[in-house]
């Protein structure tokens, strides 16, 4: 259930932010989202995010690319019109395989790279003309923002966040 | 301080003794005379195997030396049968030639087996030395904890290199040119191609060049080790800066000499053949083996509790290097193969024709072991942190690269008379024992953790 009210705690230092995340997690509060201007090393671990599976996806896309290359060249060069081109043996795929390896390699890399990037865009919901979801423009420059849903425990949360070194704590009503 | 466990020491000595006995057996049993080889060949052809083999060779237009003789032999035989009054004299000559050829190949086998194994273990130590220099020159922050392990392994470089050069020289002086045909003045006199190369390929030039290469490598190894030890007790970083400088200089020297060494010690077994990227190809193999052995020795020492600060991120980094250099090796192997296969120029393609005909299983099996296996096994990031997994992958990689060297040397020396039997395996055991003995003795000499390396703190906290 999405909370209607959230707290935005703003920090100015990534070290302070990391400690704050650990404290908030230790107090067993759910962190909705964290906005940072740059990747903070170890933040995903501190938040307890599940590791990405994009490398596995990429490996499978690579396999698809390799298959496409093999099937394509087997059909074109061996089955459809097995011409003698400069004495290269076109009786079977394996006999002329070395000549196909550069294409097999390139298509594997092409599929693995491009489909992985597209997967990344889809999964992180990024596309042209997409409305930016930034709650505070300062988080793209030098501020860090932690968003915590409020379930009637406003004061307790505010006190906790003040202790962690937040420079600004705002209560935001999401129901417009 | 590391103490050489008596168990491992006796394993090393045992390997050396078993290996030495096997090598002697190999030399004794290979020493067959003409009539013995003749009867052996005769019994083979009764089985029909030899006859099939001759047919296959005769069909091939890219005739190698072997098939030249056999082809001619087969033609004479056909002629004799069809005409009914064959030229018996010519046939006897061809027969003598063939038997002589097989006999020489058999005599060469223990020499070549010894040389392949000696080169393989020397190559590991030299690869580690190059990797060590790269760590200093690049001022790597992750590796200082492993520098002493590398120094231990490079201790084998000097004896290993001298043994390789000694075997090469002895194969000329007492082995009747068993490994390098260009060392034989008889061959050079009748071979214009080799005669044209005598400016480079002559026995004394070979030995002197070899000694210069070894001298240069040894000097670097000697001084880098000395400064590394001195850095432990110093109160400034002067020794480190000195090592940094000599490492950069060594890497320049190494790239030139490694290339020339690979022409001399490996490519010249086929003096009619040449390839421009051969030096890098050998280099890639040597780097993979070197890094694999670094990770294996590190994992062994860590499992015995001698490297408590080495964590799984260090193992992960080494495994990444094993993975990356395996692919780099494959890239160079394939680049060399594909360019020659594609253009198919007779004088250079014979190199691969002989390998494809007589060495199909090791030639293709090596690609699986050195590329497909490490590629699939070491791709997963989590698996690269599991010690037994890295060890298992390392064993396959090392076996694969032994076969790589085997494929470079054997076709030119023993030809189709190859096998992996007593001479080959006992040579491996002999040098494996020597390698373990020298490396682990060197490891006991100084503390396994450098104390005042400027990057040691970073290395201790390294995590990926």
């Amino acid at each position: 259930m999405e909370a209607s009210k959230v707290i935005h705690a703003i920090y100015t230092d990534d070290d302070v932010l990391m400690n704050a995340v650990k404290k908030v997690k230790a107090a067993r509060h759910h962190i909705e989202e964290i906005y940072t201007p740059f990747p903070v090393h170890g933040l995903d671990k501190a938040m307890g995010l599940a590791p990405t599976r994009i490398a596995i996806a990429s490996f499978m896309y690579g396999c698809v690319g390799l298959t496409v290359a093999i099937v394509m060249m087997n059909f074109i060069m061996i089955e459809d019109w097995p011409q003698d081109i400069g004495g290269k043996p076109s009786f079977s795929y394996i006999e002329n395989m070395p000549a196909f390896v550069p294409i097999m390699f390139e298509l594997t890399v092409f599929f693995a790279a491009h489909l992985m990037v597209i997967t990344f865009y889809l999964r992180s919901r990024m596309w042209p003309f997409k409305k930016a979801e930034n709650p505070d423009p300062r988080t793209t420059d030098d501020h860090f923002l932690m968003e915590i849903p409020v379930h009637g425990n406003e004061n307790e949360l505010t006190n906790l966040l003040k202790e962690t070194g937040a420079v600004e704590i705002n209560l935001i009503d999401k129901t417009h | 301080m590391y103490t050489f466990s008596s168990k491992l020491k006796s394993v090393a000595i045992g390997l050396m003794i078993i290996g030495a006995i096997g090598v002697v057996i190999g030399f004794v049993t290979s020493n067959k005379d003409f009539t013995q080889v003749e009867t052996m060949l005769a019994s083979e052809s009764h089985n029909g195997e030899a006859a099939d083999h001759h047919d296959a060779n005769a069909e091939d237009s890219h005739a190698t030396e072997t098939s030249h003789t056999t082809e001619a032999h087969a033609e004479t035989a056909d002629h004799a049968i069809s005409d009914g009054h064959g030229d018996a004299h010519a046939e006897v000559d061809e027969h003598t030639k063939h038997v002589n050829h097989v006999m020489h190949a058999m005599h060469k086998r223990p020499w070549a087996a010894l040389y392949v194994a000696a080169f393989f273990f020397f190559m590991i130590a030299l690869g580690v030395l190059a990797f060590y220099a790269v760590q200093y020159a690049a001022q790597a922050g992750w590796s200082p904890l492993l520098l002493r392990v590398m120094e231990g392994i490079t201790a084998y470089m000097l004896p290993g290199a001298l043994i390789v050069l000694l075997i090469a020289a002895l194969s000329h002086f007492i082995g009747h040119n068993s490994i390098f045909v260009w060392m034989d003045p008889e061959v050079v006199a009748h071979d214009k191609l080799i005669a044209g190369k005598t400016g480079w390929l002559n026995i004394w030039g070979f030995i002197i060049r070899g000694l210069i290469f070894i001298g240069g490598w040894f000097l670097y190894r000697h001084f880098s080790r000395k400064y590394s030890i001195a850095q432990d007790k110093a109160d400034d970083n002067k020794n480190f800066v000195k090592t940094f400088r000599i490492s950069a200089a060594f890497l320049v020297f190494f790239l030139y000499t490694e290339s020339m060494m690979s022409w001399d010690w490996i490519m010249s077994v086929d003096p009619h053949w040449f390839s421009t990227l051969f030096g890098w190809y050998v280099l890639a193999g040597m780097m993979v083996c070197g890094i694999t052995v670094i990770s294996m020795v590190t994992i062994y020492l860590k499992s015995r509790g001698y490297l408590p600060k080495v964590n799984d991120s260090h193992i992960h980094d080494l495994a990444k290097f094993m993975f990356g250099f395996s692919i780099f090796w494959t890239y160079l192997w394939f680049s060399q193969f594909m360019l020659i296969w594609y253009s198919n120029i007779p004088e250079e393609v014979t190199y691969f024709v002989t390998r494809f005909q007589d060495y199909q299983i090791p030639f293709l099996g090596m690609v699986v072991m050195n590329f497909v296996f490490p590629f699939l096994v070491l791709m997963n990031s989590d698996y690269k942190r599991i010690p037994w997994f890295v060890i298992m992958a390392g064993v396959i990689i090392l076996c694969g690269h032994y076969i790589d060297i085997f494929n470079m040397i054997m076709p030119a020396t023993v030809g189709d008379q190859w096998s992996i039997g007593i001479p080959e395996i006992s040579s491996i055991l002999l040098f494996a024992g020597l390698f373990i003995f020298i490396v682990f003795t060197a490891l006991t000499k100084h503390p396994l953790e450098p104390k005042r390396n400027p990057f040691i703190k970073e290395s201790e906290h390294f995590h990926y």
Side-chain angles (χ1 to χ4, degrees):
Chain A
M1 191 194 80
E2 185 115 341
S4 57
K5 281 183 179 176
V6 292
I7 283 184
H8 281 176
I10 294 177
Y11 299 86
T12 50
D13 189 287
D14 49 338
D15 270 347
V16 180
L17 174 78
M18 282 292 281
N19 287 329
V21 170
K22 282 169 194 158
K23 269 186 195 164
V24 172
K25 290 298 280 185
R28 306 190 63 77
H29 291 292
H30 173 68
I31 299 173
E32 185 74 29
E33 191 65 88
I34 292 180
Y35 297 87
T36 65
F38 52 79
V40 178
H41 190 72
L43 188 60
D44 51 341
K45 269 209 183 111
M47 285 171 74
L49 298 182
T52 172
R53 289 167 296 177
I54 201 153
I56 299 167
S58 180
F59 177 76
M60 293 193 290
Y61 296 146
C63 294
V64 172
L66 184 63
T67 314
V68 167
I70 292 172
V71 170
M72 176 179 78
M73 281 179 301
N74 185 47
F75 177 71
I76 298 173
M77 303 300 290
I78 309 295
E79 283 175 9
D80 190 36
W81 198 337
Q83 273 206 103
D84 182 345
I85 303 166
K88 285 277 155 276
S90 52
F91 306 107
S92 73
Y93 189 79
I94 199 73
E95 267 184 310
N96 209 1
M97 210 267 298
F100 302 146
V101 166
I103 300 162
M104 285 154 67
F105 169 76
E106 293 293 347
L107 276 183
T108 308
V109 174
F110 179 86
F111 273 64
H114 288 82
L115 292 180
M116 178 177 76
V117 168
I118 293 169
T119 307
F120 169 72
Y121 286 154
L122 292 175
R123 293 289 290 143
S124 20
R125 310 181 64 73
M126 282 163 63
W127 51 83
F129 310 113
K130 149 136 182 159
K131 195 174 171 298
E133 288 170 358
N134 199 318
D136 191 324
R138 287 175 301 170
T139 60
T140 63
D141 183 14
D142 59 352
H143 284 64
F144 302 82
L145 190 150
M146 189 196 296
E147 187 178 286
I148 300 168
V150 181
H151 300 287
N153 50 356
E154 206 181 306
N155 289 333
E156 185 204 338
L157 262 177
T158 315
N159 289 336
L160 176 71
L161 290 171
K162 261 186 194 152
E163 263 177 50
T164 61
V167 293
E168 214 179 294
I169 295 170
N170 305 322
L171 185 68
I172 310 282
D173 201 341
K174 272 198 167 173
T175 47
H176 302 290
Chain B
M1 288 294 273
Y2 171 69
T3 44
F4 198 167
S5 77
S6 59
K7 216 169 153 189
L8 190 63
K9 195 180 244 171
S10 34
V11 167
I13 292 169
L15 285 176
M16 278 192 275
I17 293 168
I18 296 169
I21 293 170
V23 168
V24 171
I25 291 173
F27 273 100
V28 172
T29 54
S30 78
N31 199 16
K32 291 195 169 66
D33 62 16
F34 188 87
T35 43
Q36 279 171 309
V37 176
E38 203 172 19
T39 42
M40 204 198 73
L41 284 175
S43 70
E44 250 179 40
S45 60
H46 282 306
N47 296 335
E49 284 167 24
D52 284 351
H53 184 71
H54 287 185
D55 285 349
N57 265 348
E59 273 169 27
D60 183 13
S61 57
H62 306 295
T64 57
E65 202 195 337
T66 335
S67 39
H68 265 313
T69 11
T70 46
E71 200 176 288
H73 179 56
E75 270 168 18
T76 337
D78 285 350
H79 181 72
I81 293 160
S82 57
D83 285 8
H85 54 86
D87 191 340
H89 183 63
E91 197 188 341
V92 168
D93 260 8
E94 290 300 334
H95 174 73
T96 315
K97 255 192 191 169
H98 177 58
V99 174
N100 263 327
H101 181 82
V102 174
M103 183 179 73
H104 285 311
M106 286 174 159
H107 290 177
K108 285 172 173 188
R109 189 174 154 202
W111 282 101
L114 202 61
Y115 190 70
V116 170
F119 188 88
F120 176 70
F121 283 97
F122 147 73
M123 160 178 114
I124 292 171
L126 188 61
V128 173
L129 191 64
F131 190 69
Y132 177 83
V134 169
Q135 299 309 306
Y136 267 104
Q139 304 198 355
W142 66 279
S143 56
L145 271 180
L146 308 174
L147 289 178
R148 286 288 149 79
V149 176
M150 297 184 210
E151 283 166 20
I153 298 170
T154 56
Y156 183 76
M157 199 284 298
L158 180 67
L162 288 174
I163 289 168
V164 172
L165 194 62
L166 190 71
I167 295 173
L170 286 184
S171 83
H172 168 69
F173 291 115
I174 64 169
H176 308 290
N177 310 302
S178 288
I179 300 173
F180 301 93
V181 284
W182 56 263
M183 286 181 181
D184 189 349
E186 271 297 297
V187 171
V188 178
H190 295 103
D191 191 322
K192 279 193 179 155
L193 272 175
I194 301 181
K197 294 181 182 181
T198 44
W200 181 272
L201 292 181
N202 56 76
I203 178 76
W204 288 108
F206 178 90
I207 292 172
I208 291 165
R209 276 195 306 276
L211 289 174
I212 292 171
F213 304 156
I214 298 171
W217 303 332
F218 169 71
L219 281 180
Y220 170 69
R221 142 84 193 159
H222 176 76
F223 283 105
S224 63
R225 169 79 160 172
K226 192 178 147 194
Y227 297 148
S228 167
I229 304 295
Q231 180 69 24
D232 274 4
K233 287 170 193 138
D235 45 14
D236 55 15
N237 288 336
K238 256 187 207 147
N239 291 297
F240 178 80
V241 174
K242 273 195 233 167
T243 321
F244 172 75
R245 287 193 186 133
I246 60 170
S247 298
F250 167 73
L251 284 171
V252 176
F253 176 79
F254 171 76
L255 274 180
Y256 283 101
T257 50
E258 187 275 336
S259 215
M260 288 192 264
M261 177 275 284
S262 69
W263 308 336
D264 266 4
W265 296 4
I266 295 190
M267 199 159 77
S268 80
V269 293
D270 287 290
H272 286 174
W273 181 80
F274 55 87
S275 164
T276 40
L277 60 66
F278 198 76
W280 312 325
Y281 170 59
V282 173
L283 172 76
M286 128 189 327
M287 293 300 278
V288 184
C289 294
I291 293 160
T292 304
V293 170
I294 296 173
S295 47
M296 290 168 112
V297 174
T298 306
I299 290 170
Y300 170 77
L301 290 174
K302 188 173 162 54
S303 74
R304 290 285 175 278
Y306 288 108
L307 290 170
K309 287 173 184 163
V310 170
N311 56 42
D312 59 356
S313 291
H314 293 104
I315 307 295
H316 185 231
D317 256 34
L318 286 169
K320 270 192 282 189
F321 272 112
M322 284 159 64
F323 176 73
F325 273 107
S326 285
I327 292 171
F328 180 60
W329 174 88
T330 316
Y331 166 63
L332 292 177
W333 173 81
F334 183 70
S335 301
Q336 178 169 278
F337 172 73
M338 205 256 280
L339 287 181
I340 291 173
W341 172 85
Y342 211 110
S343 55
N344 204 17
I345 301 171
E347 62 256 37
E348 48 184 40
V349 88
T350 49
Y351 185 81
F352 285 112
V353 168
T354 47
R355 276 157 186 76
F356 227 88
Q357 276 183 350
D358 302 332
Y359 288 76
Q360 202 155 32
I361 292 170
F363 186 74
L364 297 174
M366 161 186 95
V367 183
V368 175
M369 289 166 92
N370 291 345
F371 172 62
V372 180
F373 184 84
F375 181 74
L376 294 175
V377 161
L378 289 176
M379 192 177 324
N380 190 315
S381 184
D382 296 332
Y383 292 170
K384 283 190 281 238
R385 293 169 180 276
I386 304 171
W388 67 264
F389 216 88
V390 176
I391 294 275
M392 192 185 72
V395 169
I396 302 278
I397 290 175
L398 288 181
C399 293
H401 282 279
Y402 171 79
I403 295 174
D404 183 23
I405 306 295
F406 186 85
N407 279 335
M408 293 184 202
I409 301 289
M410 289 299 184
T413 48
V414 303
D416 58 359
Q417 297 296 313
W418 71 276
S419 158
I420 295 190
I422 292 175
E424 287 79 13
I425 291 170
S426 32
S427 305
I428 297 173
L429 297 183
L430 171 65
F431 289 110
L434 189 66
F435 184 85
I436 294 172
F437 189 80
I438 291 178
V439 167
F440 284 88
T441 306
L443 286 170
T444 59
K445 299 277 194 260
H446 291 280
L448 283 180
E449 275 171 17
K451 282 189 202 72
R452 278 206 73 266
N453 187 299
F455 294 106
I456 194 74
K457 274 279 169 292
E458 187 179 336
S459 183
E460 280 166 17
H461 297 119
F462 173 69
H463 91 107
Y464 169 76

